[in-house]
Structure formats: C-alpha cells, structure tokens
Amino acid sequence: MDHLDAITAFVRAAERGGFSAAARDLNVSQPHVTRAVAQLEARLGARLMNRSTRRLTLTDEGRDYLDRCRAILKAVEDSDESVGVRATTLRGELRVFAPVSLGREWIVPQLAEFLDRHPALSVRLVLDDRPRDLVEERLDVAVRVGPLESSTMRARQLGKVPRLIVAAPDYFSKRGLTRPLHPVDLAAHEWLIFDGPVRVDQVRCVKDGETVEIACNGRFASNSSEALQEAVLRGHGLCLVPYWLASKALASGALDHILPDWRTSPDLPLSAVYPATRAPSEKVRRFIDWLVYSLHGEGVFGVDSDRA
C-alpha cells in the first residue's frame, strides 16, 4: 500500500474517531483503512492508536505523529496547488474562520466577488465569536480581532478598527437620563457588556491629551456581538462596539454615536492568521490580499482607514 495513502487513512481515522467514518470519507472499505493503519504501525514499530469497541484514541506516539502527518499532507496539497495555480487558477477548498458579525456583515456580502474571480475554488466559512484551533480543525486562515498572543500563528495585520460608544436615539428619553457631555458622565448609565474571550467592561476615552477611564456597569452581558447589537438597538443601554458592527445602524439613524469628539482607545487590530508550521498557500495569500482590499473602507475601519 502506498505510504502516503496510509498516512491519509491514519489522519482521517484519527480526526473522525473511527475506521468506518474514515472509510466513508475516503470512499474506501473499512478493512482497507484498518489495514492501512496497521501496516503504518508495523512500518514504524510503534502503536499509534488504541482500539476499543466505541472509539479510537491516540497514543502519545500517535498524537505526535498525527501533527507531523498533517503537516506532510498540507505540504503535498500546497505543492499540488501551487503547480495548478501557475498552470490555470486557484482550485480546491479554502477553509476560513471569522467572528460572527464581521463575517455576516462584511465578508459574506463581498465573498461572491472573490468566488467569481476564482471559479475553481470553494470556500468553507466558519463563524464564531470564540477562537478555534486552526490546526485541529484543519482551517487554512482565520480573521482575528485584538492583540495576538499565540506564537504558533503567523499573522498579517489587515488594519486597526476604531471602537465607538453607541446607544439607541430614544435610550435617554425613555429612562429620563441626560445625554453624556463628558466621559465621567458615562458611569451613571446602564452598559451592555461583551463577555467573550476577553471581557470588555472598561472604556478609555482620549481627547486633546486628556485620558479618562470608566468602568462599565450593567446587568446584561453576552459573548455574542450580535446579541449585544440587538440589545442596544432596543434601547437597553450603552455599548462599546467595533466600527464595523455599528456603521450601518449609525448611517440609518438607528444608533447614535455617543461622545463623538472623544476617541475610545486603543483601536482593535484586525489580523489574518495562519499556522506558523507551514508557509501560506497561494489560495491563502490571495484570500488575504482580497481581505485587505475589500475590508479597507468605511464599513470596517472607519473613515480614518490609513491607521493599519
């Protein structure tokens, strides 16, 4: 049996947790996958998997070998793709991860243009406000908001996103409150708090060298940016949001920008990241180039879009 085929069978069985599921994915028989993994173990002289009636589990050697095999298969895929790209165009599948609101509001509406440019390419877009493991979930590239901490990722910064304090136009009148004239006035208001991977419960406002920090107190918090957007539109409180989330509602008058003469600091870096264990493929490079082109505008980075 071909060594690369055996590696493919092992990786798929490990990812799917069983020989039968791997066989269905690869369109081969279950005995074929079982035999491939057994021959691979015999070749290596090490057990890679513990078998049970319910599920396969990896040994320590198997976990280490799985990471290496994934890198091998990705390198083969990228090599094949690079030749195909030079000969014709981008092809295969591009697996992309992005935050829910950014993906729904700004990536999806413009994605048709990218797909039209590359008719042999398909895109699988995963949207979630919590980070995913790119290697574990076999994702090619992710759009990340905020500072990057992982040293296992390479990144290209797409730009810096301003954050705005917003409220529904009738929020103040409904509650009999005075519209804030200075950041210190913000402390008296009900806040809607983003409680994602990093909890956003403080606001820093800057103007003409003056910096004011205010704690955001409120009774509603969510890890969903879209849930917070709905709450602020319904007049439940003030919210600190990235420009892309509020720009359309501000343009329509559904939301008001509070203290527009003050800048909330710091801006949020927006980056495209991919695993450091491999060089970006041609389709990843082209997609990131497209992101830079398509997202740089008032919809995502605001009018001061040269702050990248």
Side-chain angles (χ1 to χ4, degrees):
M1 183 177 295
D2 182 84
H3 188 42
L4 191 60
D5 287 342
I7 287 175
T8 301
F10 164 67
V11 170
R12 193 56 57 89
E15 291 176 343
R16 299 283 279 140
F19 293 137
S20 297
R24 287 193 296 272
D25 285 357
L26 297 173
N27 197 28
V28 297
S29 67
Q30 185 266 333
H32 179 92
V33 175
T34 303
R35 186 167 58 253
V37 174
Q39 290 179 0
L40 195 59
E41 290 177 324
R43 178 189 179 113
L44 297 171
R47 179 173 288 276
L48 301 175
M49 293 178 162
N50 295 314
R51 284 79 161 167
S52 73
T53 56
R54 293 186 176 181
R55 186 174 176 84
L56 298 177
T57 58
L58 293 173
T59 63
D60 290 340
E61 292 83 0
R63 281 189 289 272
D64 180 66
Y65 193 59
L66 176 62
D67 290 338
R68 297 174 185 271
C69 287
R70 281 172 168 160
I72 290 169
L73 294 178
K74 184 62 179 174
V76 171
E77 177 187 341
D78 292 345
S79 297
D80 290 348
E81 178 189 291
S82 66
V83 173
V85 165
R86 286 194 295 270
T88 55
T89 186
L90 299 186
R91 61 183 65 252
E93 182 183 58
L94 179 67
R95 297 172 289 272
V96 181
F97 173 85
V100 176
S101 58
L102 181 66
R104 186 175 67 82
E105 293 287 336
W106 298 106
I107 294 179
V108 170
Q110 302 182 74
L111 192 58
E113 177 191 353
F114 181 75
L115 291 172
D116 287 344
R117 291 183 187 180
H118 308 290
L121 183 70
S122 63
V123 172
R124 174 174 172 258
L125 178 63
V126 178
L127 299 180
D128 198 340
D129 284 334
R130 290 190 174 275
R132 298 286 188 92
D133 187 314
L134 271 65
V135 175
E136 182 70 24
E137 300 197 32
R138 301 174 63 234
L139 296 165
D140 295 303
V141 60
V143 180
R144 293 272 171 85
V145 181
L148 300 176
E149 299 179 357
S150 174
S151 60
T152 63
M153 294 290 129
R154 293 181 181 178
R156 177 177 171 184
Q157 190 171 106
L158 304 174
K160 292 183 178 178
V161 183
R163 295 184 295 172
L164 311 177
I165 302 169
V166 297
D170 60 357
Y171 161 74
F172 303 103
S173 59
K174 278 184 176 180
R175 295 172 179 254
L177 297 172
T178 302
R179 191 182 183 92
L181 300 176
H182 188 276
V184 295
D185 301 330
L186 297 171
H189 290 271
E190 182 80 10
W191 282 87
L192 307 169
I193 299 168
F194 181 71
D195 192 18
V198 177
R199 186 177 174 89
V200 181
D201 55 7
Q202 283 192 321
V203 174
R204 179 187 300 163
C205 298
V206 179
K207 178 184 177 184
D208 299 332
E210 180 183 3
T211 300
V212 181
E213 292 193 18
I214 300 295
C216 303
N217 297 308
R219 294 173 296 154
F220 179 67
S222 176
N223 68 340
S224 167
S225 56
E226 293 192 321
L228 291 176
Q229 183 186 39
E230 183 64 23
V232 74
L233 285 168
R234 290 180 177 274
H236 296 329
L238 306 184
C239 195
L240 179 65
V241 298
Y243 188 89
W244 81 70
L245 189 61
S247 59
K248 293 180 181 179
L250 289 170
S252 70
L255 287 179
D256 284 347
H257 184 185
I258 308 305
L259 298 177
D261 293 336
W262 290 77
R263 178 182 166 198
T264 54
S265 177
D267 293 342
L268 291 173
L270 190 68
S271 307
V273 303
Y274 52 91
T277 54
R278 58 179 185 253
S281 64
E282 183 67 18
K283 62 188 176 185
V284 168
R285 285 193 292 268
R286 297 266 200 101
F287 182 75
I288 293 175
D289 287 343
W290 173 78
L291 280 176
V292 173
Y293 168 78
S294 63
L295 297 184
H296 255 280
E298 294 187 14
V300 174
F301 298 106
V303 294
D304 190 12
S305 60
D306 61 350
R307 284 185 285 181

